[in-house]
Amino acid sequence: MNSLFKRLPRNRLAATRRSSRRLHHSQPHPHPLLATFSRLCVEGPFRAALALLPDLASAGLRADPVSLTRLVKLCVRHGTASDGRLIHRHVADHGALSGGGGGGLFVSNSLVSMYVKFGLLDDALRLFDGMPERNVVTWTTVVAALANADGRKDEALRFLVAMRRDGVAPNAYTFSSVLGVCGTTGVLAAMHASIVKVGLDSDVFVRSSLIDAYMKLGDLDGGRGVFDEMVTGDLVVWNSIIAGFAQSGDGAGAIELFVRMKDAGFSANQGTLTSVLRACTGMVMLEVGRQVHAHVLKYEKDLILHNALLDMYCKCGSLQDADALFRRMPQRDVISWSTMISGLAQNGRSTEALRVFDLMKSAGVAPNRITLVGVLFACSHAGLVEDGWYYFKSMEKLFGIRPEREHHNCMVDLLGRAGKLNEAVEFIHEMSLDPDSVIWRTLLGACRMHKNANLAAYAAREILKLEPDDQGARVLLSNTYADLWQWTDAEKSWKAMRDRGMKKEPGRSWIEVEKQVHVFIAGDLSHPSSDSIVQELNRLIGRINALGYVPQTEFVLQDLAIEQKEDLLKYHSEKLAIAFGTMHAMLGKPIRIMKNLRICGDCHAFAKLVSKSEGKVIIIRDPVRFHHFQDGACSCGDYW
């Protein structure tokens, strides 16, 4: 500065110094009221800052945009929607929304955001419509709010289009917020193309949101494609892809990605571990789940993670591990107790489940509706009809829980399994809720179990009124007719399915051996070890024949010769999985099998006798419950 002054002529130098002094002395000090207001907007308390607005108006003073924006933020944290509207009125009446230099836009954006955070989306949109100027922050706030609002997803997409027509380019947050509302793969692909076009496809959060969106639509290949194209050191993206596969039911894919993540040098966090535990639960991959347990130990007090681990052990049929974990948990909430109750019930230990329910009440933990579903399930699968009625009728009185559909369904199941079919129908007709297809399907399953074709046909008709394309109802009805050798009626049901292009889902079973999942399909001998499996299966059948095994051909629901029926029974998926399991069984470890359909009576008898002849524990999980076979008996007590 001194060198600059030296270059000026003496008379100009003196003038410059005089001008500088005048400028310095002419700058007014801020009004004490404005200074106080600005300080309160930063430090609070909010009420004191808000109370100064009328004083500012009376004094004709106009607060600066920064202070007003800070006041709006304080309002979101400590005020109410009414306070927010009061601030809005003040700034609108005193010109702060139309201030130059971008100040008005700055304040307007904060008010739009405030209305959104208070859940007043229509107020936000009214303010938005009246704004003379909008920038990317304005548009993104509104687009994100619409995307998160129930029933307004389509508006979010329309606003995104309007934003671009207005000449405002979306940023990474705009795209991330709206990707989740793409309802079809076509719309998502178009959005993906737009992201690539503007060069935001390399943004880690945009890519993470893209993966989530593809997974949400069930497009695992699309999500995997986005993931494989990127080079990232961000755990967020790994978590997105692993969670997507786990939630979409591809547990094997989720676990494979988890292994890749570890190999790439990433450390799992709570989000990763929760997703991997979900995958292990779905695939009954107990050994991988136990490895995940080692990672969970780092999060000693993470209740959500411990609950996920407990659920995994219960749904993998390892109640010894579940019980040990449950006892060691530093804290338990209603989810912990409910998981343990349901786990015991599903594994055929209904009496213990009800005992844990009593312990839960003694511990002062109030049950919720999920807890009562587990309790009623325990009663249903143990034939405890009187206990079930007691818990159902006392739910509201004792625990303040109004019976919902799940509880009514449990009661239909309880009565149906006990053979009280007429009582079950009467219960359905007297329900305060309209019966849905799930309840009628439960009754239909009980009708098949007790071979009541007339009532099965009635239940099937009720299902098809609600869901005309329901394949399961037609399958159960045709199976019921076939159980009774009513082949003509069975064929009518099968023909109706064929005419609609429906196919009966084949039986599938899978087993984990050395951290690899092996899948078997009924009648399919394409497994690389099929020759050895058939040889082992023949050996097992020879062994259990000596124990009295006779193929129960009545479980073949086709009008065939006895020899053909025996061949079909022989290659049921669970028998193939059991044979493979005995070939690779480790000393002292159970054979664990997952099945997509209810186990048939012949396979149930087969598993019981193999457990006795081989001295092995065999655990089979079907869609409803577990069967623990040991020493020729099953945990279900042949009541399933």
Side-chain angles (χ1 to χ4, degrees):
M1 180 66 74
N2 288 333
S3 61
L4 173 65
F5 281 147
K6 287 176 183 176
R7 286 197 298 269
L8 290 171
R10 184 177 299 275
N11 59 340
R12 288 187 62 191
L13 176 62
T16 300
R17 284 174 174 164
R18 286 195 301 273
S19 174
S20 176
R21 284 196 297 270
R22 281 199 304 271
L23 181 65
H24 176 75
H25 289 297
S26 67
Q27 287 181 342
H29 291 290
H31 192 284
L33 203 56
L34 285 174
T36 302
F37 178 72
S38 296
R39 178 177 55 78
L40 288 173
C41 287
V42 176
E43 300 171 2
F46 167 68
R47 290 291 161 196
L50 189 67
L52 283 182
L53 289 179
D55 296 337
L56 291 174
S58 298
L61 298 171
R62 181 168 161 177
D64 64 280
V66 174
S67 296
L68 289 170
T69 301
R70 286 171 175 165
L71 179 65
V72 172
K73 289 180 179 178
L74 272 181
C75 180
V76 172
R77 289 199 299 272
H78 305 294
T80 65
S82 298
D83 297 327
R85 288 194 174 102
L86 189 152
I87 296 170
H88 185 183
R89 283 197 300 273
H90 174 85
V91 296
D93 291 345
H94 296 87
L97 293 183
S98 57
L105 178 60
F106 192 44
V107 176
S108 294
N109 283 346
S110 68
L111 287 168
V112 171
S113 177
M114 175 199 72
Y115 280 129
V116 167
K117 288 173 181 174
F118 278 131
L120 301 171
L121 185 49
D122 289 333
D123 291 72
L125 291 174
R126 275 192 291 273
L127 174 55
F128 174 89
D129 289 338
M131 289 173 64
E133 180 188 0
R134 309 181 189 107
N135 64 5
V136 66
V137 175
T138 327
W139 282 100
T140 299
T141 301
V142 171
V143 168
L146 289 166
N148 290 320
D150 290 336
R152 306 192 76 161
K153 314 292 186 188
D154 291 341
E155 285 184 73
L157 294 174
R158 288 199 295 271
F159 264 72
L160 180 66
V161 172
M163 174 183 184
R164 302 189 72 171
R165 286 176 179 165
D166 202 39
V168 180
N171 61 17
Y173 184 71
T174 321
F175 280 119
S176 296
S177 64
V178 83
L179 281 168
V181 307
C182 296
T184 66
T185 52
V187 173
L188 180 56
M191 191 72 68
H192 190 170
S194 297
I195 290 168
V196 173
K197 186 175 180 180
V198 298
L200 286 172
D201 53 314
S202 59
D203 182 272
V204 65
F205 291 106
V206 172
R207 282 197 173 251
S208 179
S209 298
L210 266 172
I211 291 169
D212 290 340
Y214 276 113
M215 294 298 176
K216 179 182 173 184
L217 294 174
D219 187 354
L220 300 189
D221 292 337
R224 185 66 173 265
V226 175
F227 177 78
D228 288 339
E229 286 173 4
M230 64 192 301
V231 177
T232 178
D234 202 300
L235 186 62
V236 171
V237 180
W238 281 103
N239 282 349
S240 290
I241 190 74
I242 291 170
F245 271 75
Q247 290 165 6
S248 298
D250 189 346
I255 291 165
E256 181 236 319
L257 285 162
F258 174 61
V259 173
R260 272 182 58 187
M261 188 191 91
K262 290 201 299 179
D263 290 343
F266 291 89
S267 297
N269 64 10
Q270 293 100 318
T272 324
L273 297 176
T274 302
S275 295
V276 176
L277 285 171
R278 182 199 293 252
C280 293
T281 301
M283 296 298 294
V284 198
M285 296 184 74
L286 179 62
E287 294 309 314
V288 177
R290 284 184 172 137
Q291 289 186 5
V292 176
H293 190 167
H295 293 278
V296 174
L297 295 176
K298 293 185 293 185
Y299 302 98
E300 183 182 349
K301 295 185 178 179
D302 192 309
L303 183 57
I304 293 174
L305 204 47
H306 278 83
N307 283 341
L309 187 61
L310 182 65
D311 187 52
M312 186 276 296
Y313 279 131
C314 286
K315 289 181 178 169
C316 285
S318 183
L319 288 185
Q320 186 175 358
D321 287 315
D323 185 63
L325 173 65
F326 185 73
R327 292 175 185 276
R328 290 197 310 269
M329 286 174 69
Q331 62 179 123
R332 307 181 193 120
D333 63 1
V334 64
I335 297 173
S336 318
W337 286 97
S338 300
T339 300
M340 200 65 203
I341 291 166
S342 296
L344 287 164
Q346 289 172 337
N347 281 275
R349 290 160 63 170
S350 293
T351 303
E352 289 180 60
L354 297 179
R355 181 181 60 79
V356 170
F357 180 52
D358 288 336
L359 289 173
M360 175 185 181
K361 292 183 289 183
S362 299
V365 179
N368 62 14
R369 64 181 188 83
I370 301 298
T371 318
L372 269 297
V373 170
V375 168
L376 292 174
F377 185 97
C379 296
S380 173
H381 286 257
L384 303 173
V385 177
E386 291 185 9
D387 292 292
W389 269 121
Y390 167 75
Y391 288 119
F392 180 80
K393 290 179 177 178
S394 60
M395 279 175 58
E396 193 162 7
K397 181 179 178 182
L398 294 180
F399 311 115
I401 301 171
R402 184 184 295 275
E404 297 180 16
R405 289 192 186 279
E406 302 100 318
H407 307 106
H408 286 86
N409 190 53
C410 284
M411 288 305 298
V412 174
D413 190 48
L414 172 74
L415 297 169
R417 285 177 185 277
K420 300 178 180 292
L421 298 179
N422 291 331
E423 195 172 334
V425 173
E426 184 180 347
F427 176 83
I428 292 172
H429 288 155
E430 292 177 354
M431 281 170 47
S432 57
L433 304 168
D434 290 331
D436 60 7
S437 58
V438 175
I439 285 175
W440 288 115
R441 200 175 292 115
T442 300
L443 177 65
L444 178 53
C447 292
R448 188 199 168 187
M449 187 188 307
H450 296 288
K451 295 181 169 55
N452 188 323
N454 291 333
L455 196 51
Y458 167 64
R461 285 195 299 271
E462 293 299 320
I463 295 170
L464 295 174
K465 284 180 188 175
L466 297 168
E467 297 180 19
D469 293 324
D470 187 280
Q471 180 176 329
R474 297 178 191 276
V475 170
L476 275 172
L477 181 58
S478 64
N479 289 350
T480 305
Y481 286 132
D483 285 337
L484 296 168
W485 293 14
Q486 296 179 12
W487 303 116
T488 302
D489 291 320
E491 175 56 32
K492 287 179 184 176
S493 189
W494 289 328
K495 183 178 184 303
M497 289 177 61
R498 288 194 298 270
D499 291 345
R500 287 176 170 265
M502 298 177 179
K503 291 183 179 179
K504 183 179 177 182
E505 183 181 8
R508 288 187 179 86
S509 298
W510 54 97
I511 181 172
E512 177 192 7
V513 173
E514 296 178 354
K515 300 176 191 174
Q516 294 291 319
V517 175
H518 298 261
V519 181
F520 299 92
I521 300 173
D524 184 349
L525 298 178
S526 61
H527 190 279
S529 302
S530 282
D531 291 343
S532 300
I533 292 170
V534 172
Q535 187 177 351
E536 175 71 0
L537 189 53
N538 288 333
R539 184 188 73 80
L540 293 174
I541 290 173
R543 295 260 291 175
I544 65 175
N545 280 341
L547 297 175
Y549 172 69
V550 176
Q552 300 178 37
T553 55
E554 65 269 23
F555 290 104
V556 176
L557 304 177
Q558 298 179 46
D559 190 10
L560 301 170
I562 292 294
E563 294 80 6
Q564 291 174 292
K565 288 186 175 186
E566 288 182 0
D567 279 343
L568 286 174
L569 281 176
K570 181 178 179 179
Y571 298 119
H572 273 190
S573 65
E574 52 266 64
K575 289 193 180 78
L576 296 172
I578 288 171
F580 188 76
T582 57
M583 289 165 56
H584 296 85
M586 296 178 67
L587 186 64
K589 289 199 172 183
I591 296 168
R592 298 176 189 277
I593 295 165
M594 174 74 180
K595 191 171 188 310
N596 66 327
L597 302 175
R598 185 175 183 267
I599 187 171
C600 83
D602 181 70
C603 290
H604 194 269
F606 175 89
K608 284 199 298 184
L609 293 173
V610 169
S611 74
K612 184 174 183 179
S613 70
E614 305 304 300
K616 291 288 182 186
V617 174
I618 300 170
I619 302 172
I620 297 180
R621 174 179 142 190
D622 69 17
V624 177
R625 65 174 300 160
F626 284 85
H627 298 267
H628 293 249
F629 301 96
Q630 186 172 12
D631 297 328
C634 180
S635 59
C636 73
D638 298 338
Y639 188 85
W640 89 98

